[in-house]
Amino acid sequence: MKSDNARKGMQQAPARSLFNALGFTKEEMKKPMVGIVSSYNEIVPGHMNIDKIVEAVKLGVAEAGGVPVEFPAIAVCDGIAMGHVGMKYSLVTRDLIADSTECMAIAHQFDALVMVPNCDKNVPGLLMASARLDLPTVFVSGGPMLAGHIHGHKTSLSSMFEAVGSYAAGTMTEDDVLEYERKVCPTCGSCSGMYTANSMNCLTEAIGMGLPGNGTIPAVYSERIRLAKMAGYAVMDLYNKGITARQIMTKDAILNALTVDMALGCSTNSMLHLPAIAHEIGFDFDISFANPISEKTPNLCHLAPAGPTYMEDLNEAGGVYAVMNELKELDLLNLDCMTVTGVTIGEAIKNAENRNPEVIRPLDNPYSKTGGLAVLKGNLAPDGSVVKRSAVVEEMMVHEGPARVFDCEEDAIDAIKGGKIVEGDVVVIRYEGPKGGPGMREMLNPTSAIAGMGLGSSVALITDGRFSGASRGASIGHVSPEAAVGGPIALVEEGDTIAIDIPNMKLDIKVSDEELEERKAKWQPREPKVTTGYAARYAKMVTSGNRGAVLELK
Protein backbone atom coordinates (compact mmCIF):
# COMPACT_ATOMS: atom_id res chain seq x y z
CA MET A 1 0.00 0.00 0.00
CA LYS A 2 1.25 3.48 -0.85
CA SER A 3 0.01 4.63 2.57
CA ASP A 4 2.56 2.31 4.19
CA ASN A 5 5.12 5.02 3.35
CA ALA A 6 3.44 7.16 5.99
CA ARG A 7 2.40 4.45 8.43
CA LYS A 8 4.86 1.53 8.56
CA GLY A 9 8.28 1.11 10.16
CA MET A 10 10.06 2.61 13.15
CA GLN A 11 10.89 5.76 11.22
CA GLN A 12 7.16 6.48 10.87
CA ALA A 13 6.40 6.23 14.58
CA PRO A 14 5.98 10.03 14.78
CA ALA A 15 3.45 9.88 11.94
CA ARG A 16 1.59 7.05 13.68
CA SER A 17 1.32 9.20 16.78
CA LEU A 18 -0.45 11.79 14.62
CA PHE A 19 -2.76 9.13 13.17
CA ASN A 20 -3.56 8.27 16.78
CA ALA A 21 -4.42 11.93 17.31
CA LEU A 22 -6.86 11.57 14.40
CA GLY A 23 -8.54 8.64 16.12
CA PHE A 24 -7.32 5.90 13.78
CA THR A 25 -7.54 2.37 15.20
CA LYS A 26 -4.96 -0.37 14.77
CA GLU A 27 -7.33 -2.11 12.36
CA GLU A 28 -7.73 1.03 10.24
CA MET A 29 -3.96 1.45 10.07
CA LYS A 30 -3.79 -1.86 8.17
CA LYS A 31 -6.38 -0.93 5.55
CA PRO A 32 -6.07 1.12 2.32
CA MET A 33 -6.51 4.85 2.98
CA VAL A 34 -8.93 6.42 0.49
CA GLY A 35 -8.99 10.20 0.07
CA ILE A 36 -12.47 11.65 -0.44
CA VAL A 37 -11.99 15.00 -2.19
CA SER A 38 -15.01 17.08 -1.18
CA SER A 39 -15.99 20.24 -3.06
CA TYR A 40 -18.66 21.04 -0.47
CA ASN A 41 -19.26 24.67 0.45
CA GLU A 42 -22.15 26.97 1.33
CA ILE A 43 -21.83 29.49 -1.53
CA VAL A 44 -22.25 27.27 -4.61
CA PRO A 45 -25.76 25.82 -5.13
CA GLY A 46 -24.24 22.90 -7.01
CA HIS A 47 -22.15 22.03 -3.97
CA MET A 48 -24.47 22.57 -1.03
CA ASN A 49 -25.56 18.92 -1.05
CA ILE A 50 -22.09 17.44 -1.49
CA ASP A 51 -21.74 16.80 2.24
CA LYS A 52 -24.52 14.21 1.87
CA ILE A 53 -22.77 12.67 -1.15
CA VAL A 54 -19.48 12.48 0.74
CA GLU A 55 -21.07 10.71 3.70
CA ALA A 56 -22.54 8.13 1.34
CA VAL A 57 -19.17 7.64 -0.38
CA LYS A 58 -17.54 7.11 3.01
CA LEU A 59 -20.08 4.40 3.86
CA GLY A 60 -19.36 2.65 0.58
CA VAL A 61 -15.59 2.79 1.04
CA ALA A 62 -15.79 1.53 4.63
CA GLU A 63 -18.18 -1.30 3.73
CA ALA A 64 -15.81 -2.37 0.96
CA GLY A 65 -12.78 -2.51 3.27
CA GLY A 66 -11.14 0.90 2.99
CA VAL A 67 -10.62 3.80 5.37
CA PRO A 68 -12.25 6.97 3.98
CA VAL A 69 -10.52 10.28 4.79
CA GLU A 70 -12.11 13.53 3.63
CA PHE A 71 -10.26 16.64 2.51
CA PRO A 72 -11.53 19.75 0.67
CA ALA A 73 -11.35 21.38 -2.74
CA ILE A 74 -12.42 24.97 -3.39
CA ALA A 75 -15.18 25.91 -5.84
CA VAL A 76 -16.48 29.11 -7.45
CA CYS A 77 -20.09 29.60 -8.55
CA ASP A 78 -19.78 31.09 -12.02
CA GLY A 79 -23.31 32.48 -11.92
CA ILE A 80 -22.57 34.45 -8.75
CA ALA A 81 -19.15 35.51 -10.08
CA MET A 82 -20.61 36.59 -13.44
CA GLY A 83 -20.54 40.17 -14.66
CA HIS A 84 -17.94 41.61 -12.28
CA VAL A 85 -14.29 41.21 -11.30
CA GLY A 86 -15.09 37.88 -9.62
CA MET A 87 -15.25 36.13 -12.98
CA LYS A 88 -11.51 36.70 -13.38
CA TYR A 89 -11.15 34.24 -10.49
CA SER A 90 -13.19 31.38 -11.96
CA LEU A 91 -11.14 29.57 -14.62
CA VAL A 92 -7.99 30.16 -12.59
CA THR A 93 -9.33 27.91 -9.83
CA ARG A 94 -9.11 24.87 -12.10
CA ASP A 95 -5.34 24.83 -11.60
CA LEU A 96 -5.58 25.62 -7.90
CA ILE A 97 -7.92 22.65 -7.50
CA ALA A 98 -5.60 20.34 -9.42
CA ASP A 99 -2.48 21.56 -7.63
CA SER A 100 -3.91 21.46 -4.11
CA THR A 101 -5.37 17.96 -4.62
CA GLU A 102 -2.02 16.74 -5.95
CA CYS A 103 -0.30 18.20 -2.90
CA MET A 104 -2.71 16.65 -0.40
CA ALA A 105 -2.68 13.21 -2.02
CA ILE A 106 1.10 12.94 -2.26
CA ALA A 107 1.84 14.53 1.11
CA HIS A 108 -0.41 12.03 2.90
CA GLN A 109 0.21 9.03 0.61
CA PHE A 110 -3.38 8.04 -0.13
CA ASP A 111 -3.92 4.65 -1.77
CA ALA A 112 -6.97 5.68 -3.79
CA LEU A 113 -9.28 8.64 -4.30
CA VAL A 114 -12.95 9.43 -4.79
CA MET A 115 -13.48 12.84 -6.36
CA VAL A 116 -16.73 14.61 -5.39
CA PRO A 117 -16.99 17.74 -7.56
CA ASN A 118 -19.93 19.30 -9.36
CA CYS A 119 -19.46 22.69 -10.93
CA ASP A 120 -17.47 24.06 -13.81
CA LYS A 121 -13.80 24.03 -12.75
CA ASN A 122 -13.92 21.30 -10.12
CA VAL A 123 -14.58 18.47 -12.53
CA PRO A 124 -11.71 19.24 -14.95
CA GLY A 125 -9.43 20.32 -12.12
CA LEU A 126 -9.91 16.99 -10.36
CA LEU A 127 -9.57 15.07 -13.62
CA MET A 128 -6.23 16.84 -14.12
CA ALA A 129 -5.17 15.86 -10.59
CA SER A 130 -6.31 12.27 -11.22
CA ALA A 131 -4.08 12.01 -14.27
CA ARG A 132 -1.08 13.37 -12.36
CA LEU A 133 -1.55 11.10 -9.36
CA ASP A 134 -2.45 7.90 -11.27
CA LEU A 135 -4.23 6.24 -8.34
CA PRO A 136 -7.40 4.12 -8.39
CA THR A 137 -9.95 6.93 -8.71
CA VAL A 138 -13.72 7.30 -9.14
CA PHE A 139 -15.79 10.44 -9.77
CA VAL A 140 -19.24 11.03 -8.29
CA SER A 141 -20.73 14.50 -8.69
CA GLY A 142 -23.34 16.39 -6.70
CA GLY A 143 -25.77 16.10 -9.62
CA PRO A 144 -27.79 18.56 -11.72
CA MET A 145 -30.53 20.90 -10.54
CA LEU A 146 -34.13 20.27 -11.54
CA ALA A 147 -35.51 22.67 -14.14
CA GLY A 148 -37.57 25.64 -13.03
CA HIS A 149 -41.20 26.10 -14.08
CA ILE A 150 -42.70 29.39 -15.24
CA HIS A 151 -46.13 29.70 -16.84
CA GLY A 152 -46.23 25.98 -17.56
CA HIS A 153 -42.82 25.84 -19.21
CA LYS A 154 -39.51 24.47 -17.96
CA THR A 155 -36.75 27.02 -17.59
CA SER A 156 -33.23 27.48 -16.22
CA LEU A 157 -30.52 29.97 -15.32
CA SER A 158 -29.95 31.10 -18.92
CA SER A 159 -33.55 32.36 -18.99
CA MET A 160 -32.75 34.44 -15.91
CA PHE A 161 -29.88 36.23 -17.61
CA GLU A 162 -31.98 36.80 -20.73
CA ALA A 163 -34.78 38.20 -18.59
CA VAL A 164 -32.42 41.00 -17.53
CA GLY A 165 -31.88 41.84 -21.21
CA SER A 166 -35.63 41.75 -21.83
CA TYR A 167 -36.15 44.17 -18.94
CA ALA A 168 -33.58 46.53 -20.48
CA ALA A 169 -35.47 46.28 -23.78
CA GLY A 170 -38.76 47.11 -22.07
CA THR A 171 -40.40 43.77 -22.87
CA MET A 172 -40.41 42.57 -19.24
CA THR A 173 -41.50 44.29 -16.06
CA GLU A 174 -39.62 44.24 -12.78
CA ASP A 175 -42.29 41.89 -11.41
CA ASP A 176 -41.65 39.53 -14.33
CA VAL A 177 -37.93 39.47 -13.52
CA LEU A 178 -38.68 38.83 -9.84
CA GLU A 179 -40.83 35.84 -10.79
CA TYR A 180 -37.89 34.41 -12.73
CA GLU A 181 -35.62 35.04 -9.75
CA ARG A 182 -37.88 32.95 -7.56
CA LYS A 183 -38.43 30.06 -9.95
CA VAL A 184 -35.59 29.37 -12.39
CA CYS A 185 -33.29 27.66 -9.84
CA PRO A 186 -35.65 25.59 -7.69
CA THR A 187 -33.25 23.07 -6.11
CA CYS A 188 -29.62 22.50 -5.25
CA GLY A 189 -27.41 21.08 -7.97
CA SER A 190 -25.49 22.22 -11.03
CA CYS A 191 -27.68 24.46 -13.23
CA SER A 192 -30.18 22.38 -15.16
CA GLY A 193 -29.17 22.83 -18.82
CA MET A 194 -26.23 21.43 -20.77
CA TYR A 195 -23.98 24.07 -19.29
CA THR A 196 -20.31 23.55 -18.45
CA ALA A 197 -20.76 21.72 -15.15
CA ASN A 198 -23.19 19.20 -16.59
CA SER A 199 -21.14 18.91 -19.77
CA MET A 200 -18.05 17.94 -17.81
CA ASN A 201 -19.94 15.61 -15.48
CA CYS A 202 -21.39 13.82 -18.50
CA LEU A 203 -17.92 13.58 -20.00
CA THR A 204 -16.62 11.81 -16.87
CA GLU A 205 -18.84 8.93 -17.99
CA ALA A 206 -17.55 9.12 -21.56
CA ILE A 207 -13.92 9.15 -20.40
CA GLY A 208 -14.70 6.22 -18.11
CA MET A 209 -14.04 7.94 -14.76
CA GLY A 210 -17.66 8.25 -13.60
CA LEU A 211 -20.26 5.54 -12.97
CA PRO A 212 -23.33 5.46 -15.23
CA GLY A 213 -25.70 8.25 -14.25
CA ASN A 214 -23.00 10.44 -12.76
CA GLY A 215 -23.69 13.23 -15.24
CA THR A 216 -27.49 13.12 -15.21
CA ILE A 217 -29.10 11.82 -11.98
CA PRO A 218 -30.61 14.95 -10.36
CA ALA A 219 -29.04 16.23 -7.16
CA VAL A 220 -32.27 15.82 -5.17
CA TYR A 221 -32.90 12.20 -6.15
CA SER A 222 -32.14 9.51 -3.59
CA GLU A 223 -30.67 7.58 -6.50
CA ARG A 224 -27.68 9.94 -6.27
CA ILE A 225 -27.02 8.83 -2.69
CA ARG A 226 -27.05 5.22 -3.87
CA LEU A 227 -24.67 6.16 -6.69
CA ALA A 228 -22.30 7.70 -4.13
CA LYS A 229 -22.25 4.48 -2.09
CA MET A 230 -21.56 2.56 -5.29
CA ALA A 231 -18.65 4.91 -6.01
CA GLY A 232 -17.18 3.87 -2.65
CA TYR A 233 -17.54 0.21 -3.57
CA ALA A 234 -16.14 0.87 -7.06
CA VAL A 235 -12.96 2.59 -5.90
CA MET A 236 -12.12 -0.34 -3.65
CA ASP A 237 -12.76 -2.72 -6.53
CA LEU A 238 -10.35 -0.69 -8.68
CA TYR A 239 -7.81 -0.73 -5.86
CA ASN A 240 -8.06 -4.50 -5.47
CA LYS A 241 -7.71 -4.98 -9.23
CA GLY A 242 -4.82 -2.51 -9.54
CA ILE A 243 -6.67 -0.30 -12.05
CA THR A 244 -5.42 3.29 -11.89
CA ALA A 245 -6.57 6.57 -13.45
CA ARG A 246 -4.12 6.58 -16.34
CA GLN A 247 -5.22 3.11 -17.40
CA ILE A 248 -8.65 4.67 -17.93
CA MET A 249 -7.73 8.24 -18.97
CA THR A 250 -5.99 7.38 -22.24
CA LYS A 251 -5.78 9.29 -25.52
CA ASP A 252 -8.58 7.10 -26.92
CA ALA A 253 -10.75 7.80 -23.87
CA ILE A 254 -10.34 11.56 -24.34
CA LEU A 255 -11.24 11.27 -28.03
CA ASN A 256 -14.29 9.24 -26.96
CA ALA A 257 -15.24 12.14 -24.71
CA LEU A 258 -14.86 14.62 -27.57
CA THR A 259 -17.12 12.46 -29.73
CA VAL A 260 -19.79 12.23 -27.01
CA ASP A 261 -19.42 15.99 -26.52
CA MET A 262 -20.44 16.50 -30.15
CA ALA A 263 -23.50 14.27 -29.82
CA LEU A 264 -24.65 15.89 -26.56
CA GLY A 265 -24.05 19.49 -27.67
CA CYS A 266 -21.83 20.37 -24.72
CA SER A 267 -20.50 23.72 -23.58
CA THR A 268 -17.66 25.36 -25.51
CA ASN A 269 -15.72 25.24 -22.23
CA SER A 270 -15.12 21.55 -22.84
CA MET A 271 -12.70 22.77 -25.52
CA LEU A 272 -10.67 24.40 -22.76
CA HIS A 273 -10.87 21.52 -20.34
CA LEU A 274 -10.30 18.49 -22.59
CA PRO A 275 -6.97 19.89 -23.89
CA ALA A 276 -5.91 20.63 -20.29
CA ILE A 277 -6.80 17.09 -19.17
CA ALA A 278 -5.02 15.66 -22.22
CA HIS A 279 -1.94 17.73 -21.36
CA GLU A 280 -1.69 15.89 -18.03
CA ILE A 281 -1.35 12.51 -19.75
CA GLY A 282 1.13 13.84 -22.33
CA PHE A 283 -1.39 14.01 -25.17
CA ASP A 284 -0.95 17.16 -27.28
CA PHE A 285 -4.64 17.90 -27.91
CA ASP A 286 -5.10 20.32 -30.82
CA ILE A 287 -8.56 21.88 -30.73
CA SER A 288 -8.72 21.35 -34.49
CA PHE A 289 -9.30 17.66 -33.69
CA ALA A 290 -12.88 18.77 -33.06
CA ASN A 291 -13.70 19.41 -36.70
CA PRO A 292 -13.09 15.97 -38.24
CA ILE A 293 -14.81 14.34 -35.26
CA SER A 294 -17.70 16.80 -35.52
CA GLU A 295 -18.06 16.16 -39.24
CA LYS A 296 -18.82 12.48 -38.67
CA THR A 297 -20.68 12.72 -35.34
CA PRO A 298 -24.40 13.56 -35.41
CA ASN A 299 -25.80 15.99 -32.84
CA LEU A 300 -28.45 13.93 -31.02
CA CYS A 301 -29.40 16.21 -28.11
CA HIS A 302 -30.64 19.79 -27.84
CA LEU A 303 -30.65 20.48 -24.13
CA ALA A 304 -31.07 24.02 -22.81
CA PRO A 305 -29.98 26.56 -23.93
CA ALA A 306 -30.03 24.97 -27.41
CA GLY A 307 -33.48 23.43 -26.94
CA PRO A 308 -36.38 22.82 -24.56
CA THR A 309 -35.08 19.75 -22.71
CA TYR A 310 -33.09 19.57 -19.47
CA MET A 311 -30.76 17.25 -17.59
CA GLU A 312 -33.64 15.51 -15.82
CA ASP A 313 -35.05 14.69 -19.27
CA LEU A 314 -31.74 13.26 -20.47
CA ASN A 315 -31.59 11.16 -17.32
CA GLU A 316 -35.06 9.74 -17.90
CA ALA A 317 -34.23 9.09 -21.55
CA GLY A 318 -31.34 6.81 -20.64
CA GLY A 319 -28.50 9.22 -19.91
CA VAL A 320 -25.02 9.40 -21.38
CA TYR A 321 -24.71 5.65 -21.89
CA ALA A 322 -27.83 5.67 -24.09
CA VAL A 323 -26.23 8.37 -26.25
CA MET A 324 -23.03 6.37 -26.44
CA ASN A 325 -24.95 3.26 -27.42
CA GLU A 326 -26.44 5.18 -30.34
CA LEU A 327 -22.97 6.32 -31.44
CA LYS A 328 -21.68 2.75 -31.21
CA GLU A 329 -23.72 1.88 -34.28
CA LEU A 330 -21.62 4.31 -36.35
CA ASP A 331 -18.36 2.85 -35.03
CA LEU A 332 -17.42 6.25 -33.61
CA LEU A 333 -16.17 5.11 -30.19
CA ASN A 334 -13.23 3.03 -29.02
CA LEU A 335 -15.16 0.38 -27.11
CA ASP A 336 -12.05 -1.21 -25.61
CA CYS A 337 -11.35 1.69 -23.23
CA MET A 338 -11.51 0.73 -19.55
CA THR A 339 -13.99 2.32 -17.12
CA VAL A 340 -14.37 2.60 -13.35
CA THR A 341 -17.10 -0.03 -13.60
CA GLY A 342 -14.25 -2.51 -14.01
CA VAL A 343 -15.28 -3.37 -17.58
CA THR A 344 -14.73 -1.74 -20.97
CA ILE A 345 -16.91 0.98 -22.47
CA GLY A 346 -18.35 -1.58 -24.87
CA GLU A 347 -19.43 -3.87 -22.03
CA ALA A 348 -20.67 -0.97 -19.88
CA ILE A 349 -23.01 0.53 -22.49
CA LYS A 350 -24.30 -2.61 -24.18
CA ASN A 351 -27.60 -2.69 -22.26
CA ALA A 352 -28.22 1.07 -22.34
CA GLU A 353 -31.58 1.98 -23.88
CA ASN A 354 -32.83 5.17 -25.52
CA ARG A 355 -36.19 5.62 -23.79
CA ASN A 356 -37.16 8.93 -25.40
CA PRO A 357 -36.25 9.56 -29.06
CA GLU A 358 -37.30 13.20 -28.72
CA VAL A 359 -34.65 13.85 -26.05
CA ILE A 360 -31.99 11.57 -27.54
CA ARG A 361 -32.59 11.56 -31.27
CA PRO A 362 -31.86 8.24 -33.01
CA LEU A 363 -29.21 8.13 -35.70
CA ASP A 364 -31.77 8.31 -38.51
CA ASN A 365 -33.24 11.54 -37.13
CA PRO A 366 -30.45 13.69 -35.64
CA TYR A 367 -30.78 17.40 -34.95
CA SER A 368 -27.90 17.73 -37.40
CA LYS A 369 -25.51 15.37 -39.13
CA THR A 370 -22.60 17.21 -37.58
CA GLY A 371 -21.61 17.70 -33.96
CA GLY A 372 -22.40 20.48 -31.51
CA LEU A 373 -19.04 22.31 -31.61
CA ALA A 374 -16.90 23.75 -34.38
CA VAL A 375 -13.41 25.27 -34.46
CA LEU A 376 -13.16 28.28 -36.77
CA LYS A 377 -9.90 29.60 -38.19
CA GLY A 378 -8.94 32.47 -40.45
CA ASN A 379 -7.00 35.71 -40.38
CA LEU A 380 -8.91 36.79 -37.26
CA ALA A 381 -8.17 33.53 -35.42
CA PRO A 382 -5.08 31.88 -36.93
CA ASP A 383 -4.80 29.46 -34.01
CA GLY A 384 -8.52 28.83 -33.78
CA SER A 385 -11.74 29.85 -32.06
CA VAL A 386 -14.70 27.84 -30.79
CA VAL A 387 -18.47 28.07 -31.36
CA LYS A 388 -21.34 25.94 -30.08
CA ARG A 389 -22.96 25.60 -33.48
CA SER A 390 -25.82 23.50 -32.14
CA ALA A 391 -27.01 26.66 -30.35
CA VAL A 392 -26.71 28.96 -33.40
CA VAL A 393 -29.84 29.80 -35.39
CA GLU A 394 -29.70 28.93 -39.08
CA GLU A 395 -29.66 32.54 -40.28
CA MET A 396 -26.46 33.26 -38.32
CA MET A 397 -24.46 30.28 -39.55
CA VAL A 398 -23.05 32.56 -42.26
CA HIS A 399 -22.88 36.25 -41.41
CA GLU A 400 -21.02 39.42 -42.31
CA GLY A 401 -21.28 42.64 -40.39
CA PRO A 402 -19.48 45.68 -39.03
CA ALA A 403 -17.26 45.23 -35.99
CA ARG A 404 -18.32 47.00 -32.81
CA VAL A 405 -15.16 46.93 -30.76
CA PHE A 406 -14.88 46.89 -26.95
CA ASP A 407 -11.80 46.38 -24.81
CA CYS A 408 -13.71 44.91 -21.85
CA GLU A 409 -16.98 43.15 -21.10
CA GLU A 410 -18.50 46.03 -19.13
CA ASP A 411 -18.26 48.50 -22.03
CA ALA A 412 -19.96 46.01 -24.35
CA ILE A 413 -22.83 45.41 -21.90
CA ASP A 414 -23.39 49.16 -21.56
CA ALA A 415 -23.60 49.52 -25.34
CA ILE A 416 -25.96 46.55 -25.75
CA LYS A 417 -28.33 47.63 -23.01
CA GLY A 418 -28.07 51.24 -24.15
CA GLY A 419 -29.49 50.32 -27.56
CA LYS A 420 -26.26 51.09 -29.41
CA ILE A 421 -25.98 47.62 -30.99
CA VAL A 422 -28.22 47.02 -34.00
CA GLU A 423 -29.13 44.14 -36.30
CA GLY A 424 -26.19 42.87 -38.31
CA ASP A 425 -23.48 44.08 -35.91
CA VAL A 426 -20.58 41.88 -34.81
CA VAL A 427 -19.68 42.69 -31.20
CA VAL A 428 -15.95 42.18 -30.54
CA ILE A 429 -14.86 41.94 -26.89
CA ARG A 430 -11.10 41.66 -26.47
CA TYR A 431 -8.39 41.80 -23.80
CA GLU A 432 -10.49 39.25 -21.90
CA GLY A 433 -8.37 36.17 -22.72
CA PRO A 434 -6.47 33.94 -20.28
CA LYS A 435 -3.58 36.40 -20.05
CA GLY A 436 -5.36 39.65 -20.87
CA GLY A 437 -8.35 39.25 -18.54
CA PRO A 438 -6.61 37.77 -16.75
CA GLY A 439 -8.64 34.63 -16.27
CA MET A 440 -10.69 34.50 -19.49
CA ARG A 441 -14.05 35.69 -18.17
CA GLU A 442 -17.28 34.11 -19.39
CA MET A 443 -19.44 36.41 -21.50
CA LEU A 444 -22.89 35.21 -20.42
CA ASN A 445 -24.05 38.71 -19.52
CA PRO A 446 -23.48 40.22 -23.00
CA THR A 447 -24.78 37.16 -24.89
CA SER A 448 -27.87 37.08 -22.68
CA ALA A 449 -28.35 40.83 -23.12
CA ILE A 450 -28.21 40.38 -26.90
CA ALA A 451 -30.81 37.60 -26.72
CA GLY A 452 -32.97 39.54 -24.27
CA MET A 453 -32.90 42.61 -26.52
CA GLY A 454 -34.30 40.50 -29.35
CA LEU A 455 -31.03 40.49 -31.33
CA GLY A 456 -30.08 36.83 -30.89
CA SER A 457 -30.77 35.95 -34.53
CA SER A 458 -29.06 39.00 -36.03
CA VAL A 459 -26.01 39.95 -33.90
CA ALA A 460 -22.81 37.92 -33.41
CA LEU A 461 -20.30 38.17 -30.54
CA ILE A 462 -16.62 37.37 -30.88
CA THR A 463 -14.15 37.33 -27.99
CA ASP A 464 -10.77 36.10 -26.82
CA GLY A 465 -12.62 35.35 -23.60
CA ARG A 466 -15.02 32.44 -23.29
CA PHE A 467 -18.71 31.69 -22.94
CA SER A 468 -20.84 30.04 -20.33
CA GLY A 469 -22.52 26.86 -21.41
CA ALA A 470 -25.70 28.89 -20.89
CA SER A 471 -24.80 31.17 -23.82
CA ARG A 472 -26.53 30.69 -27.14
CA GLY A 473 -26.41 32.32 -30.55
CA ALA A 474 -23.46 33.15 -32.80
CA SER A 475 -21.08 33.36 -29.84
CA ILE A 476 -17.49 32.69 -30.91
CA GLY A 477 -14.91 32.47 -28.14
CA HIS A 478 -11.34 31.40 -27.37
CA VAL A 479 -10.08 33.54 -30.30
CA SER A 480 -6.37 32.76 -30.46
CA PRO A 481 -3.85 34.31 -30.32
CA GLU A 482 -5.53 36.61 -27.80
CA ALA A 483 -5.35 40.40 -27.87
CA ALA A 484 -2.94 40.62 -24.93
CA VAL A 485 -0.18 38.96 -26.97
CA GLY A 486 -0.92 40.96 -30.12
CA GLY A 487 -3.23 38.51 -31.86
CA PRO A 488 -5.24 39.81 -34.83
CA ILE A 489 -8.28 40.45 -32.60
CA ALA A 490 -6.21 43.29 -31.07
CA LEU A 491 -5.97 44.91 -34.52
CA VAL A 492 -9.70 45.06 -35.32
CA GLU A 493 -11.04 48.61 -35.72
CA GLU A 494 -14.58 49.93 -35.39
CA GLY A 495 -16.51 49.29 -38.60
CA ASP A 496 -14.21 46.61 -40.06
CA THR A 497 -16.23 43.88 -41.76
CA ILE A 498 -16.13 40.54 -39.95
CA ALA A 499 -17.02 37.42 -41.94
CA ILE A 500 -18.32 34.35 -40.10
CA ASP A 501 -18.78 31.07 -42.00
CA ILE A 502 -19.53 28.30 -39.50
CA PRO A 503 -20.24 25.53 -42.07
CA ASN A 504 -16.82 26.14 -43.62
CA MET A 505 -15.08 26.74 -40.27
CA LYS A 506 -13.93 30.26 -41.17
CA LEU A 507 -13.55 33.49 -39.19
CA ASP A 508 -12.03 36.42 -41.03
CA ILE A 509 -11.62 40.17 -40.93
CA LYS A 510 -11.99 41.73 -44.38
CA VAL A 511 -8.82 43.78 -44.20
CA SER A 512 -5.79 43.26 -46.41
CA ASP A 513 -2.68 41.53 -45.09
CA GLU A 514 -0.74 44.73 -45.70
CA GLU A 515 -3.16 46.78 -43.60
CA LEU A 516 -3.03 44.23 -40.77
CA GLU A 517 0.78 44.34 -40.85
CA GLU A 518 0.71 48.14 -40.58
CA ARG A 519 -1.66 47.95 -37.62
CA LYS A 520 0.50 45.27 -36.01
CA ALA A 521 3.58 47.49 -36.25
CA LYS A 522 1.74 50.24 -34.34
CA TRP A 523 0.25 47.95 -31.67
CA GLN A 524 1.53 48.31 -28.12
CA PRO A 525 0.97 45.79 -25.28
CA ARG A 526 -1.44 46.92 -22.59
CA GLU A 527 -0.56 47.30 -18.95
CA PRO A 528 -1.70 44.24 -16.94
CA LYS A 529 -5.18 44.65 -15.45
CA VAL A 530 -4.17 42.83 -12.28
CA THR A 531 -0.68 43.28 -10.86
CA THR A 532 -0.79 41.51 -7.48
CA GLY A 533 -1.77 38.15 -6.04
CA TYR A 534 -2.61 34.84 -7.68
CA ALA A 535 -4.22 36.29 -10.81
CA ALA A 536 -1.06 38.24 -11.63
CA ARG A 537 1.07 35.10 -11.28
CA TYR A 538 -1.46 33.17 -13.36
CA ALA A 539 -1.28 35.74 -16.16
CA LYS A 540 2.49 35.28 -16.43
CA MET A 541 2.25 31.49 -16.77
CA VAL A 542 -0.96 30.84 -18.72
CA THR A 543 -1.02 29.78 -22.37
CA SER A 544 -3.71 30.74 -24.89
CA GLY A 545 -7.24 29.38 -25.14
CA ASN A 546 -6.47 27.09 -28.08
CA ARG A 547 -4.06 25.17 -25.80
CA GLY A 548 -6.58 24.84 -23.00
CA ALA A 549 -5.18 27.76 -20.99
CA VAL A 550 -2.74 25.41 -19.30
CA LEU A 551 0.03 26.81 -17.11
CA GLU A 552 3.62 26.55 -18.24
CA LEU A 553 6.90 27.90 -16.90
CA LYS A 554 8.20 30.43 -19.41
Side-chain angles (χ1 to χ4, degrees), residues 110-284:
F110 287 103
D111 297 299
L113 297 168
V114 178
M115 306 297 197
V116 192
N118 208 25
C119 290
D120 299 29
K121 310 311 162 308
N122 291 73
V123 184
L126 292 178
L127 283 167
M128 290 162 67
S130 300
R132 292 179 196 175
L133 294 163
D134 195 26
L135 296 171
T137 305
V138 176
F139 276 67
V140 56
S141 78
M145 185 183 291
L146 294 179
H149 290 264
I150 296 179
H151 305 149
H153 297 286
K154 288 183 178 181
T155 189
S156 61
L157 184 65
S158 52
S159 301
M160 184 72 253
F161 280 90
E162 291 177 15
V164 175
S166 297
Y167 175 77
T171 57
M172 265 195 184
T173 67
E174 186 173 351
D175 285 344
D176 292 332
V177 175
L178 288 173
E179 182 178 16
Y180 272 72
E181 279 185 43
R182 292 192 301 268
K183 295 180 178 178
V184 297
C185 296
T187 73
C188 63
S190 48
C191 298
S192 56
M194 188 55 81
Y195 310 146
T196 307
N198 292 327
S199 295
M200 294 308 302
N201 278 319
C202 286
L203 295 185
T204 63
E205 295 186 49
I207 290 173
M209 293 295 288
L211 294 172
N214 183 52
T216 59
I217 297 169
V220 295
Y221 283 14
S222 298
E223 186 181 358
R224 178 137 311 256
I225 300 297
R226 292 194 294 273
L227 185 74
K229 292 176 183 176
M230 291 167 60
Y233 304 152
V235 77
M236 292 308 300
D237 184 52
L238 293 179
Y239 173 79
N240 291 328
K241 291 177 177 176
I243 298 173
T244 63
R246 283 206 183 193
Q247 292 171 331
I248 297 171
M249 298 172 65
T250 63
K251 175 181 176 179
D252 285 335
I254 290 171
L255 293 177
N256 277 350
L258 182 56
T259 301
V260 175
D261 183 311
M262 295 299 172
L264 286 171
C266 290
S267 163
T268 52
N269 281 316
S270 62
M271 295 302 291
L272 277 176
H273 300 321
L274 287 177
I277 295 161
H279 180 75
E280 298 294 343
I281 65 165
F283 170 25
D284 186 11

Side-chain angles (χ1 to χ4, degrees), residues 371-383:
L373 299 180
V375 173
L376 313 184
K377 288 189 175 183
N379 68 354
L380 186 52
D383 293 340

Side-chain angles (χ1 to χ4, degrees), residues 61-118:
V61 168
E63 286 182 8
V67 180
V69 181
E70 178 183 348
F71 65 90
I74 63 168
V76 165
C77 177
D78 281 17
I80 294 174
M82 196 74 65
H84 55 84
V85 68
M87 183 45 69
K88 294 179 186 289
Y89 291 83
S90 171
L91 178 61
V92 302
T93 65
R94 184 186 71 185
D95 295 273
L96 283 174
I97 291 160
D99 292 349
S100 60
T101 302
E102 174 191 2
C103 291
M104 287 291 287
I106 294 177
H108 301 104
Q109 293 290 286
F110 287 103
D111 297 299
L113 297 168
V114 178
M115 306 297 197
V116 192
N118 208 25

